[in-house]
Amino acid sequence: MLDSETKRRIDACRDILVGKVPDPKSQVEQITIALIYKFMDDMDAEAEELGGKRSFFAGSYARFGWAHLLAPGLGGFEVLALYSEAIASMRQNPGLPELFRDIFKNAYLPYRDPETLKSFLKEINVFTYDHSEKLGDAFEYLLSVLGSQGDAGQFRTPRHIIDFMVTVLDPKKNETILDPACGTAGFLISAWKHILAANTPANDVATEQASHSENNSYSGNQDGGYKLKSLTPDERIRLAANIRGYDISPDMVRLSLVNLYLHGFSDPHVVEYDTLTSDEKWNEVFDVILANPPFMSPKGGIKPHKRFSVKASRSEVLFVDYMAEHLTATGRAAIVVPEGIIFQSGTAYKALRKMLVDTSLVAVVSLPAGVFNPYSGVKTSILILDKRVHKQTDKVLFVKVQNDGFNLGAQRRAVMDSHLPEATRLLRGWMVAPGKLEGDGVMAQAVARERIGLSGDLNLSGERYVVASAQAHAWPVVMLGEIVDELESGVSVNSENRNVVGDELGILKTSCVTTGIFDPQEHKAVLPEELPRVRCPVRKNSIIISRMNTEALVGANAYVDKDFDHLYLPDRLWQTVITRPDVDVRFVQFILASKECREIISSKCGGTSGSMKNIAKPQLLSLQIPLPPREVQHQIVAEIEGYQKIIDGARQVLDNYQPGIVVQANWPLVELGKLCSVGGTITTDVDLSLPYFGADSIESNSGRLLKTETAQSQRVNGPVYEFSGERLRYSKIRPYLNKLTIVDLCGYCSSDMYPLVPASSQIEIQYLATYMLSKVFNDGIRGHYERASIPKINRAQLFAAAIPLPDLETQRTIVAEIEAEQALVAANRELIRRFEAKIKTTIDRVWSAS
């Protein structure tokens, strides 16, 4: 576990270097070299303490020892010369194993400022390691600053997602393990740790962690791992040899080799290899494969060799095919994939899904869209392949994770109630007892492979198949017509283009039921000459049903809890009248609002002009619903209404919360244009594989990113803003004014937005975003667009807006407080999800009771 002090010191090293070495990748290289340099000296010192000899800094290289670099009498330029010579010549040091020589290959000092170097080495000197594991964790954090390799579509997989995937697959000490696109070897290290933990007696874990030095885990440069009591030396060697990785980038291979060594591998097996175009290793198979392969393909696509089963030019398709084909007869894999793999209709995508469903797919885990923030908001899933389990069940488990333990903002701060532990339990149970789902069916659903195949496109979106079975019931099944006394409809009348005032007679709008809650405000005034034709007033204890609407809204309904004598139905709404004493009308409304009923209603609809659908009275009255005894109906209604009260309270929080800043009178006001600039260029040359953001992807008032889609999926053909790096995207045109969010990647946004980038080191981008969401800011700019024929803010108007600017520390304090508030707001969002799931479970229980 990375401790906060180590993290702080790595950040300090970067802060020292940034003025001389602005490129993050070069910073990583310089810190890596210095950490390894110090670590080698630490191992030499440990060897001496144990009666051995120095091996890294021996002979002519002894003068480069760490103590010589930090000698009090050595001047700045002398330190600069000595360190420069040391790292440049270390490649020829005969005391270094080949792995360490590769680390220093082409190493050099890119700046000549002695003060910068002395400050940098002083920070490095503070690092101490009881065991290489601590250095490995520090190195992992250091690698995280690389963020994303956007050009190749590679995004660093969050550690908790890696560990989740490894835990689900549960690799064993005698199994072979591969990551064919290993990057910095995160999956391989997590698998290594998992196996070591599984083979360490529980009462020895603390002892092992506390006594690495006493056990002489490292002996000179020969031993790269710690000695576990429960693993023999041969087992440890065999375990390390069984863990392998490929990567096309020589830089990534070098970083992964260092990372593996620092986590206990004396001879790591990662090689530079193009998994998709070279077939040199095609005949190798593995028991466990873990990967987050590159999502994007170069222009013109990949030109793979001819041994793939699926003919494709997209990298994500080919990588998944490769992994499925390189499992042993009982092998298993966990693969992060973009949404295209799940539902894209292209020939290659469908062929891949068919191959997976037919041979190895046993589970699909849907992840939140923000898992890869701040590097990408792309929506991803995890495919779980297992050839053994596949033979033992004819079903695929679909698991939906909506909370991975972190919020979906750019900072990805930890939040409560992660779904990952429950998802792990469900998946492990599924793989231990194939076909048996242990749970309430809220987070996971089992779907027959045959049903997936019936769709033709083999869509792997779990929600497509989540329909509760309405087969045998413990309760009688009745037709709606058996319990409805009357089904009334209004008539089409002309109305004024104004809302009704007070008790003035009015006609309802169809939208009065589309939210599932009856909204009597949605109505208009009836013209006087139309009054004789008006009929069907809105009655208490009835259900209003939309009989004509779009396909998604036909059948929408709501319960009416009191009389509205002045309101009448239009011709597009039905009103039920139910007076049977054994029927609770509220219960019937809950059943009619269920997904099961809505889908049946949709199947009974006839088409009208355009996209409108129509449910006729005979078809609606023939609808069959379960009808338990009245006492049971009352219990179900009470249960659901209790859940609904909690949902309504949480929604009040979401609807009313808006981050705010209490501006102090002594804060200077600075024009926005002096704090940021438009950090993008207008283009029509669009790479369709890159992310695209429209204003409809942002939640109003909160700045929360709701979705990320590719330019291809949005059929983007320009002109759009192209940008790279952290940007605050602000919508400049109604109806999307007051919508903004922060992203940090390469991609595009609508030309109706401004991709803003800070132009001053005195502004915190999160502070700026928070203030620009405030009512004060938006009231200030409203005058510019309210009188315009096309409501819009131009650049000059926006940049002239005044921003109160406290010092940077105050800005960060404000941001931290607001992020804490937003975590509580997010908890209310999660509360809504959970209690909506409880309502669904309650309704499903009625439908599926047997």
Side-chain angles (χ1 to χ4, degrees):
M1 179 72 68
L2 175 69
D3 60 272
S4 58
E5 180 62 17
T6 301
K7 177 180 179 296
R8 188 192 70 76
R9 293 207 174 275
I10 290 177
D11 290 338
C13 288
R14 293 189 62 218
D15 290 341
I16 291 169
L17 291 177
V18 70
K20 303 295 181 180
V21 187
D23 177 43
K25 187 171 183 295
S26 296
Q27 293 170 17
V28 170
E29 290 175 348
Q30 290 303 310
I31 298 172
T32 299
I33 289 169
L35 286 174
I36 297 298
Y37 195 126
K38 172 72 162 55
F39 184 56
M40 292 190 305
D41 193 271
D42 287 349
M43 287 193 288
D44 270 353
E46 183 180 14
E48 282 187 322
E49 289 175 9
L50 296 170
K53 294 182 179 180
R54 288 182 169 262
S55 58
F56 293 108
F57 295 98
S60 62
Y61 286 85
R63 65 192 182 93
F64 298 126
W66 192 261
H68 294 289
L69 280 175
L70 271 67
L74 209 60
F77 283 101
E78 291 174 298
V79 173
L80 184 72
L82 186 63
Y83 184 71
S84 298
E85 182 184 357
I87 62 174
S89 63
M90 203 62 70
R91 181 76 176 90
Q92 287 77 43
N93 185 346
L96 266 62
E98 188 61 33
L99 169 62
F100 275 48
R101 291 186 206 163
D102 286 342
I103 295 169
F104 287 95
K105 185 177 181 180
N106 300 322
Y108 72 101
L109 194 65
Y111 58 89
R112 309 303 297 172
D113 179 15
E115 291 307 314
T116 297
L117 178 61
K118 290 190 74 172
S119 298
F120 174 64
L121 294 180
K122 184 178 179 181
E123 283 292 343
I124 294 293
N125 187 54
V126 180
F127 285 93
T128 58
Y129 317 103
D130 298 323
H131 182 262
S132 73
E133 179 70 13
K134 190 169 183 179
L135 179 60
D137 288 335
F139 189 63
E140 281 283 301
Y141 173 68
L142 182 60
L143 292 178
S144 73
V145 307
L146 289 176
S148 66
Q149 302 298 308
D151 294 339
Q154 297 173 334
F155 300 98
R156 183 177 181 272
T157 314
R159 169 58 54 191
H160 65 291
I161 298 297
I162 291 176
D163 292 342
F164 165 69
M165 293 166 65
V166 169
T167 303
V168 168
L169 290 197
D170 190 25
K172 308 297 184 186
K173 66 181 181 181
N174 58 344
E175 291 183 314
T176 54
I177 302 168
L178 172 71
D179 182 347
C182 70
T184 59
F187 281 105
L188 302 182
I189 290 167
S190 180
W192 165 258
K193 290 181 179 179
H194 177 88
I195 295 170
L196 293 181
N199 287 277
T200 303
N203 61 351
D204 286 345
V205 172
T207 303
E208 288 293 334
Q209 292 176 342
S211 60
H212 292 312
S213 296
E214 294 177 11
N215 291 340
N216 190 20
S217 299
Y218 283 88
S219 175
N221 61 336
Q222 302 301 312
D223 190 353
Y226 44 80
K227 298 177 179 179
L228 290 169
K229 297 175 182 177
S230 53
L231 285 182
T232 67
D234 285 345
E235 285 176 325
R236 271 180 50 242
I237 292 171
R238 189 160 50 247
L239 171 60
N242 282 343
I243 297 177
R244 297 178 177 271
Y246 311 149
D247 201 281
I248 193 173
S249 165
D251 289 338
M252 287 296 106
V253 170
R254 183 168 68 167
L255 290 175
S256 64
L257 288 172
V258 174
N259 207 9
L260 287 164
Y261 185 91
L262 297 178
H263 280 88
F265 290 70
S266 58
D267 183 23
H269 295 277
V270 173
V271 296
E272 183 181 341
Y273 181 67
D274 188 340
T275 307
L276 304 184
T277 63
S278 174
D279 64 354
E280 176 187 340
K281 299 180 180 295
W282 184 263
N283 294 327
E284 296 180 1
V285 292
F286 295 84
D287 299 306
V288 175
I289 298 180
L290 294 144
N292 173 16
F295 292 173
M296 298 176 194
S297 304
K299 289 184 178 181
I302 302 288
K303 295 181 180 179
H305 57 74
K306 301 185 183 300
R307 301 181 70 174
F308 286 92
S309 295
V310 177
K311 305 305 177 187
S313 59
R314 299 288 304 175
S315 63
E316 67 269 29
V317 174
L318 292 167
F319 267 112
V320 176
D321 180 9
Y322 184 94
M323 287 178 263
E325 294 197 59
H326 286 76
L327 292 174
T328 60
T330 57
R332 56 203 184 280
I335 314 163
V336 178
V337 296
E339 286 295 270
I341 293 291
I342 303 299
F343 57 75
Q344 280 272 11
S345 59
T347 302
Y349 290 98
K350 288 194 290 187
L352 175 67
R353 291 195 293 268
K354 184 176 189 317
M355 184 266 283
L356 295 175
V357 171
D358 289 347
T359 63
S360 57
L361 183 68
V362 297
V364 180
V365 182
S366 174
L367 296 175
V371 163
F372 286 96
N373 279 341
Y375 313 122
S376 171
V378 64
K379 176 74 175 69
T380 57
S381 294
I382 299 170
L383 301 182
I384 306 294
L385 315 182
D386 191 317
K387 290 193 173 182
R388 177 191 61 84
V389 171
H390 187 274
K391 295 172 184 175
Q392 298 177 21
T393 180
D394 62 353
K395 297 178 180 178
V396 175
L397 184 68
F398 289 91
V399 179
K400 185 169 185 177
V401 173
Q402 292 182 302
N403 176 3
D404 68 327
F406 296 84
N407 67 25
L408 301 181
Q411 302 301 316
R412 294 288 279 148
R413 298 185 184 278
V415 296
M416 301 290 288
D417 299 325
S418 170
H419 295 172
L420 292 182
E422 176 64 6
T424 301
R425 187 187 70 81
L426 291 168
L427 288 159
R428 288 300 307 143
W430 184 257
M431 297 174 81
V432 171
K436 182 180 179 182
L437 175 58
E438 298 180 0
D440 56 12
V442 174
M443 186 182 292
Q445 302 283 336
V447 179
R449 290 199 294 263
E450 181 182 9
R451 185 178 172 201
I452 297 172
L454 287 176
S455 65
D457 60 359
L458 292 101
N459 191 298
L460 297 181
S461 296
E463 293 181 352
R464 178 167 180 164
Y465 305 104
V466 179
V467 179
S469 174
Q471 300 172 356
H473 297 276
W475 320 125
V477 176
V478 301
M479 287 195 301
L480 188 63
E482 296 177 43
I483 61 173
V484 170
D485 299 329
E486 194 174 353
L487 191 63
E488 304 174 310
S489 179
V491 295
S492 176
V493 297
N494 294 320
S495 59
E496 296 183 22
N497 188 25
R498 66 180 178 85
N499 287 338
V500 171
V501 178
D503 291 337
E504 182 183 1
L505 189 144
I507 193 88
L508 286 172
K509 294 181 183 179
T510 310
S511 56
C512 69
V513 297
T514 53
T515 64
I517 300 172
F518 181 63
D519 184 1
Q521 303 304 314
E522 293 289 319
H523 52 264
K524 290 190 174 182
V526 178
L527 293 173
E529 61 269 24
E530 292 287 331
L531 289 177
R533 300 181 59 227
V534 172
R535 55 188 176 88
C536 298
V538 177
R539 305 188 189 186
K540 180 181 179 180
N541 205 34
S542 65
I543 304 169
I544 306 296
I545 305 172
S546 173
R547 74 176 185 87
M548 182 182 294
N549 213 315
T550 62
E551 185 171 5
L553 292 176
V554 67
N557 57 83
Y559 175 72
V560 181
D561 62 355
K562 66 179 181 179
D563 289 320
F564 293 90
D565 294 332
H566 66 293
L567 298 180
Y568 290 78
L569 299 182
D571 61 333
R572 292 188 174 188
L573 295 178
W574 294 115
Q575 179 173 242
T576 68
V577 178
I578 301 174
T579 60
R580 271 180 54 167
D582 62 333
V583 177
D584 186 316
V585 179
R586 192 74 169 107
F587 169 82
V588 175
Q589 191 269 320
F590 284 139
I591 295 297
L592 291 176
S594 69
K595 186 176 180 180
E596 292 80 3
C597 267
R598 293 291 297 276
E599 290 189 344
I600 295 170
I601 289 172
S602 180
S603 69
K604 291 175 175 288
C605 284
T608 60
S609 60
S611 61
M612 302 298 287
K613 294 289 183 179
N614 178 7
I615 179 73
K617 181 184 287 190
Q619 279 69 41
L620 185 60
L621 292 176
S622 68
L623 183 69
Q624 293 186 325
I625 64 171
L627 190 69
R630 185 174 175 84
E631 293 76 17
V632 176
Q633 296 176 45
H634 286 336
Q635 292 171 7
I636 291 169
V637 168
E639 182 181 351
I640 292 177
E641 287 183 336
Y643 296 151
Q644 191 61 51
K645 287 178 181 178
I646 295 172
I647 292 171
D648 293 343
R651 283 203 173 118
Q652 284 287 318
V653 174
L654 296 185
D655 292 342
N656 292 290
Y657 172 77
Q658 187 169 355
I661 296 173
V662 179
V663 177
Q664 303 299 313
N666 62 340
W667 292 355
L669 294 176
V670 182
E671 289 185 354
L672 180 62
K674 294 180 179 178
L675 298 174
C676 63
S677 60
V678 175
T681 56
I682 293 290
T683 182
T684 56
D685 183 17
V686 178
D687 181 345
L688 296 178
S689 66
L690 290 178
Y692 170 81
F693 304 92
D696 60 348
S697 67
I698 308 169
E699 185 177 61
S700 296
N701 300 324
S702 73
R704 190 167 71 99
L705 189 63
L706 299 176
K707 60 183 179 179
T708 301
E709 299 174 280
T710 63
Q712 182 177 31
S713 67
Q714 289 296 293
R715 297 182 173 85
V716 174
N717 54 15
V720 293
Y721 271 112
E722 181 177 18
F723 60 89
S724 175
E726 187 175 55
R727 297 293 186 274
L728 189 159
R729 297 184 303 110
Y730 180 82
S731 182
K732 63 184 179 182
I733 192 167
R734 259 186 173 178
Y736 298 117
L737 272 164
N738 195 36
K739 281 196 170 189
L740 59 84
T741 193
I742 297 172
V743 294
D744 186 3
L745 42 66
C746 301
Y748 306 97
C749 69
S750 166
S751 58
D752 289 331
M753 309 190 83
Y754 292 122
L756 304 178
V757 60
S760 168
S761 60
Q762 297 307 305
I763 186 73
E764 177 78 28
I765 194 168
Q766 290 280 359
Y767 170 84
L768 183 59
T770 301
Y771 185 77
M772 290 176 70
L773 279 170
S774 70
K775 184 176 184 299
V776 173
F777 178 83
N778 284 281
D779 286 348
I781 64 172
R782 184 171 289 116
H784 293 305
Y785 62 77
E786 282 189 334
R787 296 183 297 274
S789 57
I790 301 178
K792 182 179 182 180
I793 287 292
N794 64 40
R795 187 180 306 193
Q797 293 166 338
L798 180 65
F799 280 3
I803 306 293
L805 193 68
D807 61 78
L808 204 55
E809 189 60 34
T810 301
Q811 294 177 45
R812 289 170 177 164
T813 300
I814 291 170
V815 168
E817 290 175 353
I818 289 175
E819 286 183 340
E821 293 172 1
Q822 290 174 332
L824 296 174
V825 173
N828 279 274
R829 189 177 291 111
E830 171 61 14
L831 199 65
I832 291 172
R833 185 202 71 80
R834 284 179 174 257
F835 279 86
E836 285 179 340
K838 286 178 180 289
I839 291 175
K840 180 182 182 302
T841 300
T842 302
I843 296 295
D844 287 349
R845 196 167 67 236
V846 177
W847 279 101
S848 60
S850 56

